Amino acid sequence: MKNLKTLLFSFIFLAFISCESDSDTEITNPEDEVSIDYFIQRTLNNDGSTFSYSTYELANNRISSVSSSNMQSTSEYFYDNGKISSILNYTSGTLSTKSTFSYENNNLVEYKIEKYNPDVINKIEKHTFLHTSDTIFSEYTYSQDGTNYQLSKQSKIKLVNDNRVYFEEANTTTTDIDVSEMTYDQNDNPLTETTYLKFDNFPPTVAQMSYSNNKSSYGMIMKNTFGKKNLMLLYHLQTNAVNLFKVKILGNSNLVAYQTNWASDVYNFEVTNEVNQNNYNSKTVYKTYDNNGLLSSFEHEFFFN
């Protein structure tokens, strides 16, 4: 499938084998309010030491700023009327990209990314969303001058209870139509994700997820930052590198297992969660293995007030 060719190390979907720590069990007082001051995302070496990290500062459990370990990359998040309005990314103190979110009737209608080189816009990417009663139609266009835009992709998105159940994307330069469908459990966690090329007889790729009874700190932060519906509309814009556990951004609970019908005898993932007294995870470690051993790993650690 064309849209899956960008995956890390040229593999498509991997098989998860999950592993929970002893502390990843249901905790009392699950409805207690929590406040997270910041969290750190670390990329780890094979011996568990830190290769690099980014610190996400929070205000009201949503992201306010991000800084990398070498301080060459930073980001600032801005909100208007309780909704994410813009993200400014800097490299060595110089603005590199600016993302803006535009709304009508509380619905996201445009997501735009301006790219600078070094301080002059050299490309604009724009995603527009037309909301109808049962389907959201999206177009991806890009421009070099901010005036003349070229259409690249057209998409259809269907949501049920603000959960993305169907996505279809057509590339304007090919006849390919990529499709993905998702189902959810009773806690609105993605349960299955099926990806295939429409009108093709090639078997679909089916991924299956499972979760603990604990609450996801990362999922809570992402929903507070972007809004659940926005996450569903922008989900396909994330990297397809499966060792980054793309689906974790949508879960209300902690991901503990993932299985797929693709290359399950070659690759597997391991997820380890540590949970605090408020029933939220305080740390999650994600590991990817192949037949040669540990391939990559990273972790999220959350610091509560």
Side-chain angles (χ1 to χ4, degrees):
M1 303 178 195
K2 172 187 62 57
N3 70 324
L4 297 181
K5 292 181 179 179
T6 59
L7 300 187
L8 190 62
F9 305 118
S10 299
F11 55 79
I12 302 180
F13 283 92
L14 307 182
F16 282 114
I17 296 179
S18 73
C19 175
E20 295 183 71
S21 70
D22 291 339
S23 61
D24 196 8
T25 56
E26 188 170 5
I27 308 299
T28 57
N29 302 321
E31 302 303 324
D32 285 353
E33 292 295 327
V34 299
S35 178
I36 302 177
D37 192 24
Y38 64 98
F39 75 92
I40 298 177
Q41 177 173 299
R42 300 182 181 92
T43 302
L44 305 176
N45 296 309
N46 283 3
D47 63 0
S49 61
T50 299
F51 175 75
S52 63
Y53 66 90
S54 295
T55 302
Y56 292 73
E57 299 288 345
L58 307 180
N60 298 319
N61 288 334
R62 62 187 186 184
I63 301 172
S64 59
S65 64
V66 187
S67 60
S68 66
S69 53
N70 58 18
M71 298 303 293
Q72 292 183 349
S73 175
T74 59
S75 302
E76 295 179 340
Y77 286 58
F78 298 91
Y79 302 85
D80 186 22
N81 293 323
K83 294 182 178 294
I84 184 74
S85 58
S86 62
I87 304 172
L88 304 183
N89 298 312
Y90 299 87
T91 302
S92 299
T94 300
L95 183 65
S96 55
T97 63
K98 177 182 179 181
S99 301
T100 56
F101 302 76
S102 300
Y103 303 89
E104 290 182 6
N105 299 321
N106 289 321
N107 289 318
L108 180 68
V109 294
E110 181 183 278
Y111 171 58
K112 183 169 66 176
I113 307 99
E114 299 174 353
K115 299 184 178 182
Y116 296 81
N117 186 21
D119 55 0
V120 177
I121 297 177
N122 68 343
K123 185 177 182 180
I124 299 176
E125 299 177 358
K126 186 162 61 175
H127 301 266
T128 58
F129 301 92
L130 175 63
H131 297 255
T132 69
S133 58
D134 61 354
T135 304
I136 299 164
F137 297 91
S138 179
E139 289 188 346
Y140 165 53
T141 59
Y142 63 91
S143 173
Q144 304 294 336
D145 57 13
T147 301
N148 301 298
Y149 283 84
Q150 183 172 340
L151 179 63
S152 177
K153 296 178 181 179
Q154 294 177 304
S155 305
K156 298 178 183 178
I157 303 170
K158 291 188 177 182
L159 305 180
V160 176
N161 297 325
D162 283 344
N163 288 326
R164 175 174 172 156
V165 298
Y166 182 84
F167 173 76
E168 178 181 299
E169 182 176 73
N171 193 313
T172 58
T173 60
T174 70
T175 59
D176 293 343
I177 300 178
D178 299 315
V179 173
S180 66
E181 298 174 333
M182 300 183 75
T183 64
Y184 298 79
D185 66 17
Q186 61 184 0
N187 294 319
D188 288 338
N189 297 305
L191 192 60
T192 64
E193 184 171 12
T194 303
T195 307
Y196 58 95
L197 187 63
K198 198 171 186 179
F199 310 123
D200 192 355
N201 292 325
F202 191 82
T205 297
V206 182
Q208 296 178 303
M209 287 72 71
S210 62
Y211 302 83
S212 70
N213 292 323
N214 311 120
K215 296 185 178 182
S216 170
S217 298
Y218 183 77
M220 181 266 287
I221 291 169
M222 292 300 106
K223 287 179 177 63
N224 286 341
T225 298
F226 295 99
K228 177 181 177 179
K229 190 172 183 179
N230 286 356
L231 289 178
M232 296 292 175
L233 296 181
L234 302 175
Y235 179 70
H236 60 285
L237 302 183
Q238 294 188 84
T239 175
N240 281 325
V242 290
N243 65 319
L244 297 181
F245 295 77
K246 173 183 176 180
V247 74
K248 70 184 183 301
I249 200 170
L250 301 181
N252 293 317
S253 306
N254 290 310
L255 179 70
V256 296
Y258 181 109
Q259 295 179 337
T260 179
N261 60 339
W262 178 267
S264 59
D265 59 338
V266 178
Y267 302 105
N268 64 80
F269 284 2
E270 178 184 285
V271 184
T272 304
N273 294 297
E274 298 178 9
V275 178
N276 64 18
Q277 67 274 15
N278 295 108
N279 204 35
Y280 282 85
N281 60 315
S282 55
K283 180 187 285 189
T284 298
V285 181
Y286 303 88
K287 295 183 178 181
T288 303
Y289 295 88
D290 63 10
N291 287 337
N292 295 318
L294 183 61
L295 187 64
S296 66
S297 62
F298 71 97
E299 68 180 21
H300 286 152
E301 185 173 9
F302 303 89
F303 296 85
F304 293 73
N305 289 328

